[in-house]
Amino acid sequence: VPAAAPRPLLRIAIPVFEGLTALDAIGPYEVLSRLPGASVTFLAAGGSQPGRAIRTENGMLGIIADAALDALPAPDVIVVPGGFGIRALLEDDVLVGWLRAAHATSRWTTSVCTGSLLLGAAGLLDGIEATTHWLELETLAGFGAVPVSRRVVRVGKLVTAAGVSAGIDMALSLAALIADERTARAITLGIEYDPEPPFEGGSVATASPELVEFVRARRSSLA
Amino acid sequence: VPAAAPRPLLRIAIPVFEGLTALDAIGPYEVLSRLPGASVTFLAAGGSQPGRAIRTENGMLGIIADAALDALPAPDVIVVPGGFGIRALLEDDVLVGWLRAAHATSRWTTSVCTGSLLLGAAGLLDGIEATTHWLELETLAGFGAVPVSRRVVRVGKLVTAAGVSAGIDMALSLAALIADERTARAITLGIEYDPEPPFEGGSVATASPELVEFVRARRSSLA
C-alpha cells in the first residue's frame, strides 16, 4: 500500500521591521495560516535580528522576527506589510534584493497598505495598476505604478491591498485562488468575518471631505 | 500663565498567553492605540514571562508580553483576547484574580472571541447577555452568561465581541464611547476600514448549514 502523498507545504513569508503597522501583517497571517499546508514565517528585515523582536510604529507591540531573509529565499507567497518604518527600507539593498529574487519564483507577491511602496522600489510595479493606503497613492505613482483607488488590486501574480484593514479582504480572495472557494468561505466563517463597521466612511470615496482633511493633518497618529 | 493640562493617559491592558489567536488582540490594539493618550500594554498571562514571547495557537507567530499582570492592576480598559490557549487559563487563579480586581475599577472590560469565557470564569457575566465565537456560545452559557448571537454585545461597561475579526468592530464602537464619534470615524478612515469581504457567510446566520458543519468538524484548523 503506497503511503499517502504528503501535503505540499505552502511557504508564506512576511518580512517585519521596526515601525511596522501590526494589522497589515496580522490580518493576512490570520487568514493564510489557516490554508491547508500553510507555514507562515515572519522574516527579519531592515537590520532586525532573527529571534529578536521588532516594535510597531507606536512602540506598543513587539513581534518576533523568527528567521533571516536568506532563510527563505523562495517562498510560495510573499506578504509585504506597511507602516511608517517602510520608508527607511525603500533603499535597503538587502531587503529589496531579497524581494526581487523571491518574486522571481513566487506564486503570489502581495502587499498591504504602504508595503506596496517596497514592491515599487524593487521595480515590480512599473506601469502596473496597484494600490496602497489612500494617503500614499501619489507616492506609489512615483515608483512607476499606476495607482488605483480600489481595496484589492490584482495584476497577474501581484496583489496589492489598500490601507491596514484591507489585508484581510486581500488574503481571503487570495485563499480562494491558492486553495478553492470552499476553503476561503470556511476561513471566512472560522474568523467570523461578517463585518459590521459601526461607522461608514472607511474610504476616501465614502468619508466626508472634512474628515479626509482631518485625518490627513493628523496622519502620524491616525493613519 | 498656567501650563496646559497634560492629556490624561488611557491605559489599555491586553493579557496575552500561549495559544492566543493573534487577530483577537491585534484588531482592538490597532484601533484603540490610535485614541488620544492611549497606552496599550501587552501583559504576560498564564505563566508567560514579561519581556518574553508567547506563541499563537499555530506556533507561527511570537508576540512579546511586555509586563507582568501586577504591573498594571487598574487599567482603564481591559481587552481579553481568545484562542485555544484560553481554555487552560479558566482556572488560573492569578489571571482570574487579576481580571476580577481590574474589572472593579475599569472603565471598560471587554473581550474578543473566546476571551469572554475568561470573563465568565471570573464571575463577571452571571445572568448577563454576552457573546463569543459562534462555536462556543453553549460553553459561555455554562459560565452563567446569557449567550447572544450578535457581533458586539454591550451591557453596562462589559463589552463582548464575537469571533476573531469582530474585535475591530467592537473597538471602533468603543472608541466612540471613550473619545467621541469624530475620533472613531477618523480611526475608521485611518485604518481604511471599509470592508469588502470577498465571500458572504461570515456568520452562522448567513453561512450555509453545510459550511457550518464543515467548519465545526475542522475547528482545530479553521476556527
Side-chain angles (χ1 to χ4, degrees), chain A residues 20-24 26-27 29-30 33-35 38-42 53-64 66 132-135 150-152 162-166 168-170 172-173 176 181-204 206-208 210-212 214-215 218 221-223, chain B residues 20-24 26-27 29-30 33-35 38-42 53-64 66 132-135 150-152 162-166 168-170 172-173 176 181-204 206-208 210-212 214-215 218 221-223:
Chain A
L20 174 80
T21 296
L23 188 54
D24 290 15
I26 303 304
Y29 149 85
E30 200 68 64
S33 64
R34 285 169 164 77
L35 284 169
S39 170
V40 179
T41 307
F42 290 85
I54 60 92
R55 302 296 298 191
T56 55
E57 78 279 69
N58 52 40
M60 298 179 198
L61 171 63
I63 286 176
I64 302 285
D66 282 312
T132 188
H133 193 284
W134 58 271
L135 278 164
R150 284 210 308 274
R151 193 149 177 87
V152 179
V164 193
S165 63
I168 300 172
D169 295 335
M170 185 273 284
L172 285 167
S173 62
E181 185 176 314
R182 180 190 176 86
T183 301
R185 286 183 182 274
I187 296 172
T188 300
L189 181 58
I191 65 167
E192 214 160 342
Y193 190 54
D194 187 18
E196 296 177 12
F199 303 101
E200 295 182 350
S203 65
V204 171
T206 56
S208 71
E210 187 274 336
L211 188 70
V212 170
F214 181 80
V215 174
R218 289 159 185 79
S221 58
L222 286 171
Chain B
L20 175 79
T21 296
L23 188 54
D24 290 16
I26 303 304
Y29 149 85
E30 201 67 65
S33 64
R34 286 167 163 77
L35 284 168
S39 169
V40 179
T41 306
F42 290 85
I54 60 91
R55 303 295 298 191
T56 55
E57 76 280 68
N58 52 41
M60 298 179 197
L61 170 63
I63 287 176
I64 302 286
D66 282 312
T132 188
H133 193 284
W134 58 270
L135 278 164
R150 283 211 308 274
R151 195 150 175 87
V152 178
V164 193
S165 64
I168 300 172
D169 295 335
M170 184 272 285
L172 285 167
S173 62
E181 186 177 312
R182 180 190 175 88
T183 301
R185 287 183 181 275
I187 295 172
T188 300
L189 181 57
I191 66 167
E192 214 159 345
Y193 190 54
D194 187 18
E196 295 177 11
F199 303 102
E200 295 181 349
S203 64
V204 171
T206 57
S208 72
E210 187 275 334
L211 188 71
V212 170
F214 181 80
V215 174
R218 289 160 186 79
S221 58
L222 285 172

Side-chain angles (χ1 to χ4, degrees), chain A residues 115-129:
Chain A
S116 57
L117 301 182
L118 191 75
L119 272 55
L124 309 186
L125 299 179
D126 277 354
I128 291 179
E129 288 194 342

Side-chain angles (χ1 to χ4, degrees), chain A residues 85-133:
Chain A
I86 200 75
R87 295 168 181 281
L89 301 177
L90 299 179
E91 296 181 11
D92 180 309
D93 289 340
V94 177
L95 177 59
V96 170
W98 173 84
L99 176 58
R100 208 175 274 142
H103 175 67
T105 57
S106 72
R107 288 169 62 192
W108 298 99
T109 301
T110 78
S111 64
V112 180
C113 199
T114 49
S116 57
L117 301 182
L118 191 75
L119 272 55
L124 309 186
L125 299 179
D126 277 354
I128 291 179
E129 288 194 342
T131 196
T132 188
H133 193 284

Side-chain angles (χ1 to χ4, degrees), chain B residues 23-114:
Chain B
L23 188 54
D24 290 16
I26 303 304
Y29 149 85
E30 201 67 65
V31 171
L32 299 177
S33 64
R34 286 167 163 77
L35 284 168
S39 169
V40 179
T41 306
F42 290 85
L43 300 176
S48 57
Q49 297 300 313
R52 304 287 296 271
I54 60 91
R55 303 295 298 191
T56 55
E57 76 280 68
N58 52 41
M60 298 179 197
L61 170 63
I63 287 176
I64 302 286
D66 282 312
L69 288 169
D70 59 12
L72 202 53
D76 300 296
V77 181
I78 304 162
V79 181
V80 179
F84 289 119
I86 200 76
R87 296 167 180 282
L89 300 178
L90 299 180
E91 297 182 8
D92 181 308
D93 289 341
V94 176
L95 178 58
V96 170
W98 172 84
L99 176 58
R100 207 176 275 142
H103 174 66
T105 56
S106 72
R107 287 169 62 191
W108 298 99
T109 300
T110 78
S111 65
V112 180
C113 199
T114 51

